[in-house]
Amino acid sequence: MPAHPGPQRPDDSARRRGRLRPAAAAGSGIHKPLPPGLFNIRGTNAETVPATLRHTGYHTPNDRFFVRNHTTTPRLSAANWHLTVWGDGLRGAPVRFSYAQLLALPAVTRAACLECAGNGRSYFTSQQGDDVTGTPWTLGAVGAARWRGARLADVLRLAGIRPEAVDVMPRGLDDPYVDDGVDYGRVRRPMPAAKALDDVILAYEMNGEPLPYDHGYPVRVIAPSWVGVASTKWVGDIEVSDRPLSSPWTTEFYRLFGPDHPPGGAPMTVLPVRSAWELDAGTALSARVTHRLTGRSWSGGGGVARVDVSTDGGVRWSAARLLDEGCGDGWVRWETEWRPGAKGPAELLARATDTAGRTQPDRSVPNTQGYFFDAVVRCPVTVV
Ligand code: MTE
């Protein structure tokens, strides 16, 4: 495990060398370079091009990891940063932790996927004809990283969390989110104290490096297997409450609304099962040549147990070869071979089943904001 390099700014050296940021990043509010071949820029967000993961290992390199920002990436200093834990769910007064104090706590490392609940949203429209709002992600709003940090449970216990505490709400230090003239305040979302005390990390490292600015430097929450919005970046304070808390991120956004959901909407916590081919839609593949095709599957509800693939639009299916053990918070890489005969258009499908027995359906239950698209995605290719 590499030693933590300390509270330096993550890419001082690049700035010193005067490296210019590619024009593609201009206006997005994202700090890191966003080369067009690696990212699709979507407003204040950047989507990893899924096909490019074919050339990476298990973990998504920091410079290829998707970014989902409500506003812009703040460039905070670890030396000036502190975390305040406060609220009536504590035994006493607010408690402050500096960056150095957090680093001095026992460290845990966890390989976990981080995924936006809206990943795959564009397929609601293109595959199902559903009318949804929000960023039209394909399948690149997901990545897996090695997160290192302190257990949130340790911090909450040091702060004096009471057994009666029911909810814990981290809040980010990025600018307040304003939409359509409404100021919703800073990004914040409560989670049950039981989750906070279970597996949540206050991460300060990503893949062995200090968190990059865009991914929450100096410290972010990582809530494994839950919707990405639960993983608050640039965390500045955490409210601990002995009553249930709410925020617009649980009552309005990141909530399932629509005819197939309860009248007040349904809450969102654990991520669904999904799969992606590491192939651009529309890729040309030669006929009568054996191709090694690869992809990844993941699930918030347990490891991936099997992946079935179809190269004829879903008529016949066969099991893909899994290249990783399906672990709860991570993903599984897989491969299959295909020797297409006839020239012309074809569709590749991948369908995963997790260890909890959940299988990707043919059709996702629609919701107005287009979350949790878990249906099998049809990847069009052309045999030439
Ligand atoms: N935390 C803050 N403070 N501000 C944000 O905009 N976006 C959330 C979450 N945490 C967000 C945040 C959402 S919706 C997602 S999917 C993840 O961060 C994205 O993390 P990443 O940008 O590191 O990939």
PDB file of all heavy atoms in Angstrom, residues 23 28-29 44 48 94 114 123 133 163 180 206 228 231 234 250 257 273 275 277 287 290 292 315 320 339 347 351 356:
ATOM      1  N   ALA A  23      -9.372  22.092 -24.866  1.00  0.00           N
ATOM      2  CA  ALA A  23     -10.528  22.963 -25.002  1.00  0.00           C
ATOM      3  C   ALA A  23     -11.812  22.239 -24.651  1.00  0.00           C
ATOM      4  O   ALA A  23     -12.776  22.841 -24.213  1.00  0.00           O
ATOM      5  CB  ALA A  23     -10.597  23.477 -26.433  1.00  0.00           C
ATOM      6  N   SER A  28     -17.240  23.207 -18.699  1.00  0.00           N
ATOM      7  CA  SER A  28     -17.859  22.101 -17.954  1.00  0.00           C
ATOM      8  C   SER A  28     -17.712  22.308 -16.449  1.00  0.00           C
ATOM      9  O   SER A  28     -18.450  21.710 -15.672  1.00  0.00           O
ATOM     10  CB  SER A  28     -17.216  20.769 -18.337  1.00  0.00           C
ATOM     11  OG  SER A  28     -15.865  20.749 -17.885  1.00  0.00           O
ATOM     12  N   GLY A  29     -16.733  23.139 -16.035  1.00  0.00           N
ATOM     13  CA  GLY A  29     -16.473  23.308 -14.606  1.00  0.00           C
ATOM     14  C   GLY A  29     -15.689  22.144 -14.035  1.00  0.00           C
ATOM     15  O   GLY A  29     -15.494  22.056 -12.824  1.00  0.00           O
ATOM     16  N   THR A  44     -22.294  19.810 -17.065  1.00  0.00           N
ATOM     17  CA  THR A  44     -21.276  19.875 -16.012  1.00  0.00           C
ATOM     18  C   THR A  44     -20.717  18.484 -15.700  1.00  0.00           C
ATOM     19  O   THR A  44     -20.009  18.313 -14.702  1.00  0.00           O
ATOM     20  CB  THR A  44     -21.878  20.480 -14.726  1.00  0.00           C
ATOM     21  OG1 THR A  44     -23.019  19.668 -14.333  1.00  0.00           O
ATOM     22  CG2 THR A  44     -22.345  21.905 -14.933  1.00  0.00           C
ATOM     23  N   THR A  48     -17.389   8.564 -19.056  1.00  0.00           N
ATOM     24  CA  THR A  48     -16.335   7.719 -19.611  1.00  0.00           C
ATOM     25  C   THR A  48     -16.889   7.008 -20.842  1.00  0.00           C
ATOM     26  O   THR A  48     -18.008   6.483 -20.795  1.00  0.00           O
ATOM     27  CB  THR A  48     -15.917   6.651 -18.580  1.00  0.00           C
ATOM     28  OG1 THR A  48     -15.560   7.290 -17.363  1.00  0.00           O
ATOM     29  CG2 THR A  48     -14.756   5.810 -19.078  1.00  0.00           C
ATOM     30  N   PRO A  94     -20.760  19.953  18.631  1.00  0.00           N
ATOM     31  CA  PRO A  94     -20.125  19.559  17.368  1.00  0.00           C
ATOM     32  C   PRO A  94     -18.646  19.208  17.567  1.00  0.00           C
ATOM     33  O   PRO A  94     -17.977  19.781  18.441  1.00  0.00           O
ATOM     34  CB  PRO A  94     -20.272  20.812  16.501  1.00  0.00           C
ATOM     35  CG  PRO A  94     -21.448  21.540  17.070  1.00  0.00           C
ATOM     36  CD  PRO A  94     -21.429  21.252  18.548  1.00  0.00           C
ATOM     37  N   LEU A 114     -18.474   2.966  -8.282  1.00  0.00           N
ATOM     38  CA  LEU A 114     -19.235   4.178  -8.005  1.00  0.00           C
ATOM     39  C   LEU A 114     -20.052   4.417  -9.265  1.00  0.00           C
ATOM     40  O   LEU A 114     -19.496   4.418 -10.361  1.00  0.00           O
ATOM     41  CB  LEU A 114     -18.276   5.336  -7.747  1.00  0.00           C
ATOM     42  CG  LEU A 114     -18.907   6.700  -7.510  1.00  0.00           C
ATOM     43  CD1 LEU A 114     -19.648   6.711  -6.180  1.00  0.00           C
ATOM     44  CD2 LEU A 114     -17.832   7.780  -7.489  1.00  0.00           C
ATOM     45  N   TYR A 123     -31.216   5.107 -22.741  1.00  0.00           N
ATOM     46  CA  TYR A 123     -31.882   3.926 -23.312  1.00  0.00           C
ATOM     47  C   TYR A 123     -33.375   3.873 -22.970  1.00  0.00           C
ATOM     48  O   TYR A 123     -34.121   3.165 -23.620  1.00  0.00           O
ATOM     49  CB  TYR A 123     -31.176   2.643 -22.864  1.00  0.00           C
ATOM     50  CG  TYR A 123     -29.728   2.641 -23.290  1.00  0.00           C
ATOM     51  CD1 TYR A 123     -28.714   2.792 -22.353  1.00  0.00           C
ATOM     52  CD2 TYR A 123     -29.376   2.552 -24.633  1.00  0.00           C
ATOM     53  CE1 TYR A 123     -27.383   2.832 -22.741  1.00  0.00           C
ATOM     54  CE2 TYR A 123     -28.052   2.589 -25.035  1.00  0.00           C
ATOM     55  CZ  TYR A 123     -27.058   2.728 -24.081  1.00  0.00           C
ATOM     56  OH  TYR A 123     -25.747   2.776 -24.478  1.00  0.00           O
ATOM     57  N   THR A 133     -36.430  12.950 -18.092  1.00  0.00           N
ATOM     58  CA  THR A 133     -35.586  14.150 -18.001  1.00  0.00           C
ATOM     59  C   THR A 133     -34.222  13.754 -17.444  1.00  0.00           C
ATOM     60  O   THR A 133     -34.093  12.712 -16.804  1.00  0.00           O
ATOM     61  CB  THR A 133     -36.218  15.190 -17.058  1.00  0.00           C
ATOM     62  OG1 THR A 133     -36.409  14.564 -15.771  1.00  0.00           O
ATOM     63  CG2 THR A 133     -37.560  15.678 -17.570  1.00  0.00           C
ATOM     64  N   PRO A 163     -26.995   6.018  20.469  1.00  0.00           N
ATOM     65  CA  PRO A 163     -27.689   4.849  19.900  1.00  0.00           C
ATOM     66  C   PRO A 163     -29.021   5.236  19.265  1.00  0.00           C
ATOM     67  O   PRO A 163     -29.511   4.557  18.368  1.00  0.00           O
ATOM     68  CB  PRO A 163     -27.934   3.925  21.107  1.00  0.00           C
ATOM     69  CG  PRO A 163     -27.107   4.465  22.216  1.00  0.00           C
ATOM     70  CD  PRO A 163     -26.733   5.880  21.907  1.00  0.00           C
ATOM     71  N   ASP A 180     -33.351  26.424 -12.438  1.00  0.00           N
ATOM     72  CA  ASP A 180     -34.596  27.124 -12.777  1.00  0.00           C
ATOM     73  C   ASP A 180     -34.924  28.201 -11.752  1.00  0.00           C
ATOM     74  O   ASP A 180     -36.094  28.379 -11.374  1.00  0.00           O
ATOM     75  CB  ASP A 180     -35.753  26.116 -12.812  1.00  0.00           C
ATOM     76  CG  ASP A 180     -36.332  26.021 -14.212  1.00  0.00           C
ATOM     77  OD1 ASP A 180     -35.931  26.838 -15.059  1.00  0.00           O
ATOM     78  OD2 ASP A 180     -37.188  25.139 -14.431  1.00  0.00           O
ATOM     79  N   MET A 206      -7.738   7.655  -3.990  1.00  0.00           N
ATOM     80  CA  MET A 206      -8.421   6.949  -5.074  1.00  0.00           C
ATOM     81  C   MET A 206      -7.335   6.286  -5.913  1.00  0.00           C
ATOM     82  O   MET A 206      -6.452   6.989  -6.425  1.00  0.00           O
ATOM     83  CB  MET A 206      -9.220   7.982  -5.892  1.00  0.00           C
ATOM     84  CG  MET A 206      -9.971   7.450  -7.062  1.00  0.00           C
ATOM     85  SD  MET A 206     -10.918   8.828  -7.796  1.00  0.00           S
ATOM     86  CE  MET A 206     -11.714   8.008  -9.159  1.00  0.00           C
ATOM     87  N   GLY A 228     -24.815   6.714  -6.582  1.00  0.00           N
ATOM     88  CA  GLY A 228     -23.626   7.570  -6.499  1.00  0.00           C
ATOM     89  C   GLY A 228     -23.840   8.840  -5.706  1.00  0.00           C
ATOM     90  O   GLY A 228     -22.906   9.352  -5.073  1.00  0.00           O
ATOM     91  N   SER A 231     -22.569   9.283  -2.245  1.00  0.00           N
ATOM     92  CA  SER A 231     -21.124   9.400  -2.023  1.00  0.00           C
ATOM     93  C   SER A 231     -20.708  10.866  -2.148  1.00  0.00           C
ATOM     94  O   SER A 231     -20.079  11.288  -3.129  1.00  0.00           O
ATOM     95  CB  SER A 231     -20.373   8.510  -3.022  1.00  0.00           C
ATOM     96  OG  SER A 231     -20.623   7.153  -2.726  1.00  0.00           O
ATOM     97  N   TRP A 234     -16.224  16.344  -1.581  1.00  0.00           N
ATOM     98  CA  TRP A 234     -15.814  17.583  -0.882  1.00  0.00           C
ATOM     99  C   TRP A 234     -16.613  17.749   0.422  1.00  0.00           C
ATOM    100  O   TRP A 234     -17.115  18.840   0.736  1.00  0.00           O
ATOM    101  CB  TRP A 234     -16.038  18.805  -1.789  1.00  0.00           C
ATOM    102  CG  TRP A 234     -15.533  18.588  -3.175  1.00  0.00           C
ATOM    103  CD1 TRP A 234     -14.242  18.453  -3.565  1.00  0.00           C
ATOM    104  CD2 TRP A 234     -16.330  18.476  -4.380  1.00  0.00           C
ATOM    105  NE1 TRP A 234     -14.180  18.269  -4.920  1.00  0.00           N
ATOM    106  CE2 TRP A 234     -15.429  18.282  -5.445  1.00  0.00           C
ATOM    107  CE3 TRP A 234     -17.693  18.529  -4.658  1.00  0.00           C
ATOM    108  CZ2 TRP A 234     -15.866  18.127  -6.771  1.00  0.00           C
ATOM    109  CZ3 TRP A 234     -18.122  18.378  -5.967  1.00  0.00           C
ATOM    110  CH2 TRP A 234     -17.214  18.181  -7.007  1.00  0.00           C
ATOM    111  N   THR A 250     -33.491  13.646  -1.664  1.00  0.00           N
ATOM    112  CA  THR A 250     -34.286  12.436  -1.392  1.00  0.00           C
ATOM    113  C   THR A 250     -35.761  12.657  -1.715  1.00  0.00           C
ATOM    114  O   THR A 250     -36.470  11.706  -2.012  1.00  0.00           O
ATOM    115  CB  THR A 250     -34.207  11.995   0.098  1.00  0.00           C
ATOM    116  OG1 THR A 250     -34.410  13.140   0.928  1.00  0.00           O
ATOM    117  CG2 THR A 250     -32.911  11.310   0.419  1.00  0.00           C
ATOM    118  N   PHE A 257     -40.390   8.495  -9.542  1.00  0.00           N
ATOM    119  CA  PHE A 257     -41.762   8.967  -9.727  1.00  0.00           C
ATOM    120  C   PHE A 257     -42.324   8.385 -11.023  1.00  0.00           C
ATOM    121  O   PHE A 257     -41.579   8.167 -11.982  1.00  0.00           O
ATOM    122  CB  PHE A 257     -41.804  10.491  -9.844  1.00  0.00           C
ATOM    123  CG  PHE A 257     -41.415  11.221  -8.586  1.00  0.00           C
ATOM    124  CD1 PHE A 257     -40.178  11.854  -8.489  1.00  0.00           C
ATOM    125  CD2 PHE A 257     -42.289  11.286  -7.505  1.00  0.00           C
ATOM    126  CE1 PHE A 257     -39.816  12.541  -7.340  1.00  0.00           C
ATOM    127  CE2 PHE A 257     -41.931  11.975  -6.341  1.00  0.00           C
ATOM    128  CZ  PHE A 257     -40.700  12.599  -6.267  1.00  0.00           C
ATOM    129  N   VAL A 273     -28.682  -4.163 -11.267  1.00  0.00           N
ATOM    130  CA  VAL A 273     -27.707  -4.967 -12.033  1.00  0.00           C
ATOM    131  C   VAL A 273     -27.597  -4.365 -13.429  1.00  0.00           C
ATOM    132  O   VAL A 273     -28.620  -4.083 -14.058  1.00  0.00           O
ATOM    133  CB  VAL A 273     -28.204  -6.426 -12.222  1.00  0.00           C
ATOM    134  CG1 VAL A 273     -27.062  -7.333 -12.655  1.00  0.00           C
ATOM    135  CG2 VAL A 273     -28.908  -6.945 -11.006  1.00  0.00           C
ATOM    136  N   SER A 275     -24.980  -4.168 -17.293  1.00  0.00           N
ATOM    137  CA  SER A 275     -23.858  -4.696 -18.086  1.00  0.00           C
ATOM    138  C   SER A 275     -23.544  -3.732 -19.218  1.00  0.00           C
ATOM    139  O   SER A 275     -24.445  -3.071 -19.734  1.00  0.00           O
ATOM    140  CB  SER A 275     -24.241  -6.023 -18.745  1.00  0.00           C
ATOM    141  OG  SER A 275     -24.627  -6.968 -17.780  1.00  0.00           O
ATOM    142  N   TRP A 277     -21.018  -3.626 -22.900  1.00  0.00           N
ATOM    143  CA  TRP A 277     -19.972  -4.119 -23.788  1.00  0.00           C
ATOM    144  C   TRP A 277     -18.892  -3.052 -23.877  1.00  0.00           C
ATOM    145  O   TRP A 277     -19.195  -1.857 -23.880  1.00  0.00           O
ATOM    146  CB  TRP A 277     -20.535  -4.357 -25.202  1.00  0.00           C
ATOM    147  CG  TRP A 277     -21.531  -5.469 -25.285  1.00  0.00           C
ATOM    148  CD1 TRP A 277     -22.871  -5.378 -25.084  1.00  0.00           C
ATOM    149  CD2 TRP A 277     -21.258  -6.837 -25.600  1.00  0.00           C
ATOM    150  NE1 TRP A 277     -23.455  -6.608 -25.248  1.00  0.00           N
ATOM    151  CE2 TRP A 277     -22.489  -7.523 -25.575  1.00  0.00           C
ATOM    152  CE3 TRP A 277     -20.092  -7.549 -25.914  1.00  0.00           C
ATOM    153  CZ2 TRP A 277     -22.586  -8.884 -25.841  1.00  0.00           C
ATOM    154  CZ3 TRP A 277     -20.193  -8.900 -26.178  1.00  0.00           C
ATOM    155  CH2 TRP A 277     -21.427  -9.562 -26.137  1.00  0.00           C
ATOM    156  N   ALA A 287     -16.543 -10.082 -41.059  1.00  0.00           N
ATOM    157  CA  ALA A 287     -17.190 -11.403 -41.151  1.00  0.00           C
ATOM    158  C   ALA A 287     -16.110 -12.487 -41.247  1.00  0.00           C
ATOM    159  O   ALA A 287     -14.994 -12.221 -41.702  1.00  0.00           O
ATOM    160  CB  ALA A 287     -18.103 -11.442 -42.373  1.00  0.00           C
ATOM    161  N   THR A 290     -12.719 -14.523 -36.040  1.00  0.00           N
ATOM    162  CA  THR A 290     -13.140 -14.701 -34.644  1.00  0.00           C
ATOM    163  C   THR A 290     -12.725 -13.477 -33.832  1.00  0.00           C
ATOM    164  O   THR A 290     -11.543 -13.137 -33.788  1.00  0.00           O
ATOM    165  CB  THR A 290     -12.510 -15.978 -34.054  1.00  0.00           C
ATOM    166  OG1 THR A 290     -12.926 -17.077 -34.882  1.00  0.00           O
ATOM    167  CG2 THR A 290     -12.975 -16.216 -32.625  1.00  0.00           C
ATOM    168  N   ARG A 292     -12.662 -11.420 -30.174  1.00  0.00           N
ATOM    169  CA  ARG A 292     -12.779 -11.541 -28.714  1.00  0.00           C
ATOM    170  C   ARG A 292     -13.492 -10.284 -28.227  1.00  0.00           C
ATOM    171  O   ARG A 292     -12.955  -9.186 -28.346  1.00  0.00           O
ATOM    172  CB  ARG A 292     -11.393 -11.668 -28.081  1.00  0.00           C
ATOM    173  CG  ARG A 292     -11.432 -11.744 -26.583  1.00  0.00           C
ATOM    174  CD  ARG A 292     -10.031 -11.883 -25.994  1.00  0.00           C
ATOM    175  NE  ARG A 292     -10.067 -11.706 -24.548  1.00  0.00           N
ATOM    176  CZ  ARG A 292      -9.904 -10.541 -23.938  1.00  0.00           C
ATOM    177  NH1 ARG A 292      -9.664  -9.446 -24.637  1.00  0.00           N
ATOM    178  NH2 ARG A 292      -9.974 -10.461 -22.616  1.00  0.00           N
ATOM    179  N   VAL A 315     -31.964 -13.976 -29.689  1.00  0.00           N
ATOM    180  CA  VAL A 315     -32.606 -15.257 -30.013  1.00  0.00           C
ATOM    181  C   VAL A 315     -31.910 -16.380 -29.237  1.00  0.00           C
ATOM    182  O   VAL A 315     -32.538 -17.144 -28.517  1.00  0.00           O
ATOM    183  CB  VAL A 315     -32.568 -15.532 -31.536  1.00  0.00           C
ATOM    184  CG1 VAL A 315     -33.260 -16.859 -31.877  1.00  0.00           C
ATOM    185  CG2 VAL A 315     -33.213 -14.368 -32.285  1.00  0.00           C
ATOM    186  N   ALA A 320     -21.113 -16.038 -20.897  1.00  0.00           N
ATOM    187  CA  ALA A 320     -19.809 -15.394 -21.113  1.00  0.00           C
ATOM    188  C   ALA A 320     -18.826 -15.962 -20.089  1.00  0.00           C
ATOM    189  O   ALA A 320     -19.232 -16.480 -19.042  1.00  0.00           O
ATOM    190  CB  ALA A 320     -19.945 -13.889 -20.932  1.00  0.00           C
ATOM    191  N   ARG A 339     -17.699 -15.309 -34.087  1.00  0.00           N
ATOM    192  CA  ARG A 339     -17.242 -15.379 -35.484  1.00  0.00           C
ATOM    193  C   ARG A 339     -18.467 -15.152 -36.361  1.00  0.00           C
ATOM    194  O   ARG A 339     -19.222 -16.084 -36.675  1.00  0.00           O
ATOM    195  CB  ARG A 339     -16.644 -16.773 -35.737  1.00  0.00           C
ATOM    196  CG  ARG A 339     -15.943 -16.917 -37.048  1.00  0.00           C
ATOM    197  CD  ARG A 339     -15.344 -18.319 -37.184  1.00  0.00           C
ATOM    198  NE  ARG A 339     -14.980 -18.552 -38.560  1.00  0.00           N
ATOM    199  CZ  ARG A 339     -13.857 -18.131 -39.112  1.00  0.00           C
ATOM    200  NH1 ARG A 339     -12.965 -17.490 -38.389  1.00  0.00           N
ATOM    201  NH2 ARG A 339     -13.613 -18.362 -40.382  1.00  0.00           N
ATOM    202  N   GLU A 347     -26.993  -7.183 -33.485  1.00  0.00           N
ATOM    203  CA  GLU A 347     -27.120  -6.581 -32.149  1.00  0.00           C
ATOM    204  C   GLU A 347     -26.518  -7.505 -31.107  1.00  0.00           C
ATOM    205  O   GLU A 347     -26.830  -8.703 -31.080  1.00  0.00           O
ATOM    206  CB  GLU A 347     -28.593  -6.344 -31.817  1.00  0.00           C
ATOM    207  CG  GLU A 347     -29.091  -4.997 -32.284  1.00  0.00           C
ATOM    208  CD  GLU A 347     -30.517  -4.727 -31.824  1.00  0.00           C
ATOM    209  OE1 GLU A 347     -31.280  -5.679 -31.580  1.00  0.00           O
ATOM    210  OE2 GLU A 347     -30.859  -3.552 -31.716  1.00  0.00           O
ATOM    211  N   ARG A 351     -26.597  -9.936 -20.499  1.00  0.00           N
ATOM    212  CA  ARG A 351     -27.587  -9.948 -19.407  1.00  0.00           C
ATOM    213  C   ARG A 351     -26.956 -10.596 -18.175  1.00  0.00           C
ATOM    214  O   ARG A 351     -26.566 -11.754 -18.221  1.00  0.00           O
ATOM    215  CB  ARG A 351     -28.799 -10.779 -19.862  1.00  0.00           C
ATOM    216  CG  ARG A 351     -29.932 -10.823 -18.867  1.00  0.00           C
ATOM    217  CD  ARG A 351     -31.095 -11.622 -19.426  1.00  0.00           C
ATOM    218  NE  ARG A 351     -30.716 -12.992 -19.706  1.00  0.00           N
ATOM    219  CZ  ARG A 351     -31.345 -13.786 -20.577  1.00  0.00           C
ATOM    220  NH1 ARG A 351     -32.370 -13.345 -21.264  1.00  0.00           N
ATOM    221  NH2 ARG A 351     -30.946 -15.021 -20.763  1.00  0.00           N
ATOM    222  N   ALA A 356     -27.782 -12.248  -5.626  1.00  0.00           N
ATOM    223  CA  ALA A 356     -29.080 -12.174  -4.943  1.00  0.00           C
ATOM    224  C   ALA A 356     -30.187 -12.703  -5.855  1.00  0.00           C
ATOM    225  O   ALA A 356     -31.363 -12.689  -5.486  1.00  0.00           O
ATOM    226  CB  ALA A 356     -29.378 -10.737  -4.534  1.00  0.00           C
TER     227      ALA A 356
END
